Amino acid sequence: RMAGGGTEEAATAASSSITELENLISWRVADSDIEKLNSAAGTEWLELDERTIDVLEQALSVSEATGGAYDPTVLPISSLWNFDSDEPTFPGDDKIQEFLPFVGYEFLRINTEDNTASLRNHGNGVDLGGIGKGAACDTALEVYRNSDISGGIIAVGGSVGTYGNKPDGTDWRVSVRDPEGKLSDGVGVISLETGCISTSGSYEKTFTEDGVTYHHLLDPKTGYPAESGLVSVTVVHESGAISDALATACFVLGIEDSLPVLKELGASALFIDEEHHITIAGDLDFEPISTSYTVSRLSL
């Protein structure tokens, strides 16, 4: 949705910029930059598109800031769980322990001067699923900025990017989904001007096997779904990529360990825990709607 002149052209350009990025950074797309990088693991450095290098660089910056709670090299483990397939299954502890040593953001090396990257060992692999939707918002917002429109909003998966103002001049209002409700149910509304909001929730992709329910937000340190007492984390940051990766990292870290990271990276967050409590960390304009949740605020 947009306002101002040239909206149709901007919408088309934004849409194709997202498709182009997806074709560069999805490990599942044949001949994508990331598929080539993964195939060359342990052998050579590759020259990649600068857009890919940019996303890899942002991914590494969040990995370093979070001590690997978000890790783009999680593919050896995430592909074992295969949450995006029709029938994900528990891979078994033996398999997880076998492939866990291949996960580690220090295995991914980038040279921004000549736009090259490499993975250190055979068996390493990059999966940008935890940052790609936010990065797609960034490319769309870049298109908006370079056009004549006065404001626009873009949603890609669990990430929303906003630019400028709404036609009536007010801030954008983005609903935060109720983890226990229907898709249309919200716990409240975040208001913001230009910026990005990303949510990671354990309700997004799950399966149950032998009475145990597993969710897709894996802790790169253990290879298992993260257990932090949280059901959803929403992060607001000027960068979509960083908000997306941080939402995953904060879910893994839990509230307490997330606070210094949010402060360092200039982000704010909304945590929803298993006890039906919402914690707002940082400067966030949040208006609660649901009466099923209590709310408290922490300053960073």
Side-chain angles (χ1 to χ4, degrees):
R1 288 188 296 171
M2 306 179 202
T7 55
E8 211 160 301
E9 294 86 338
T12 307
S15 176
S16 39
S17 76
I18 290 173
T19 305
E20 280 172 33
L21 185 72
E22 171 77 8
N23 289 336
L24 287 170
I25 69 169
S26 171
W27 66 269
R28 285 189 177 82
V29 172
D31 286 336
S32 73
D33 274 359
I34 297 303
E35 196 257 346
K36 289 177 191 159
L37 178 66
N38 291 344
S39 299
T43 55
E44 58 185 334
W45 285 73
L46 297 181
E47 187 174 343
L48 303 175
D49 190 289
E50 66 181 295
R51 288 168 290 182
T52 307
I53 293 289
D54 193 40
V55 178
L56 288 173
E57 201 184 359
Q58 289 175 299
L60 277 185
S61 74
V62 177
S63 297
E64 283 159 7
T66 61
Y70 163 75
D71 194 321
T73 68
V74 76
L75 183 67
I77 292 291
S78 60
S79 58
L80 282 183
W81 286 90
N82 204 8
F83 270 95
D84 290 320
S85 72
D86 292 336
E87 292 185 6
T89 54
F90 172 53
D93 191 59
D94 291 353
K95 271 271 187 283
I96 291 172
Q97 301 313 326
E98 181 187 341
F99 287 95
L100 204 52
F102 294 104
V103 177
Y105 63 88
E106 65 278 5
F107 298 136
L108 171 62
R109 287 105 35 115
I110 304 172
N111 182 336
T112 48
E113 281 177 24
D114 56 9
N115 287 338
T116 56
S118 73
L119 286 162
R120 192 188 298 162
N121 308 315
H122 288 289
N124 294 150
V126 166
D127 174 355
L128 294 174
I131 197 171
K133 305 286 191 289
C137 286
D138 289 334
T139 62
L141 293 180
E142 188 63 25
V143 170
Y144 291 179
R145 274 192 287 275
N146 295 331
S147 62
D148 293 331
I149 63 170
S150 55
I153 189 165
I154 180 87
V156 187
S159 292
V160 175
T162 61
Y163 166 71
N165 295 110
K166 289 202 297 194
D168 62 5
T170 59
D171 287 352
W172 298 98
R173 290 165 57 80
V174 178
S175 175
V176 178
R177 184 176 160 187
D178 182 344
E180 292 185 354
K182 295 192 295 288
L183 199 56
S184 55
D185 291 343
V187 295
V189 172
I190 292 174
S191 299
L192 79 165
E193 283 181 34
T194 298
C196 295
I197 299 182
S198 297
T199 299
S200 286
S202 55
Y203 52 80
E204 291 165 51
K205 296 171 192 166
T206 64
F207 69 91
T208 302
E209 192 175 309
D210 296 334
V212 181
T213 298
Y214 302 96
H215 65 77
H216 77 293
L217 295 166
L218 302 174
D219 182 341
K221 299 274 199 299
T222 66
Y224 281 83
E227 293 181 37
S228 55
L230 297 169
V231 287
S232 143
V233 179
T234 299
V235 173
V236 179
H237 191 272
E238 61 191 358
S239 152
I242 289 178
S243 76
D244 197 2
L246 258 186
T248 303
C250 292
F251 190 98
V252 171
L253 288 169
I255 297 175
E256 201 174 320
D257 291 339
S258 296
L259 301 178
V261 177
L262 292 165
K263 184 171 186 176
E264 181 194 339
L265 295 180
S268 50
L270 182 152
F271 300 88
I272 305 179
D273 64 30
E274 290 164 354
E275 309 296 316
H276 285 82
H277 186 73
I278 293 172
T279 304
I280 312 281
D283 186 21
L284 203 62
D285 184 350
F286 175 70
E287 180 190 321
I289 300 169
S290 170
T291 51
S292 319
Y293 295 83
T294 51
V295 181
S296 63
R297 295 177 185 268
L298 298 170
S299 55
L300 292 174

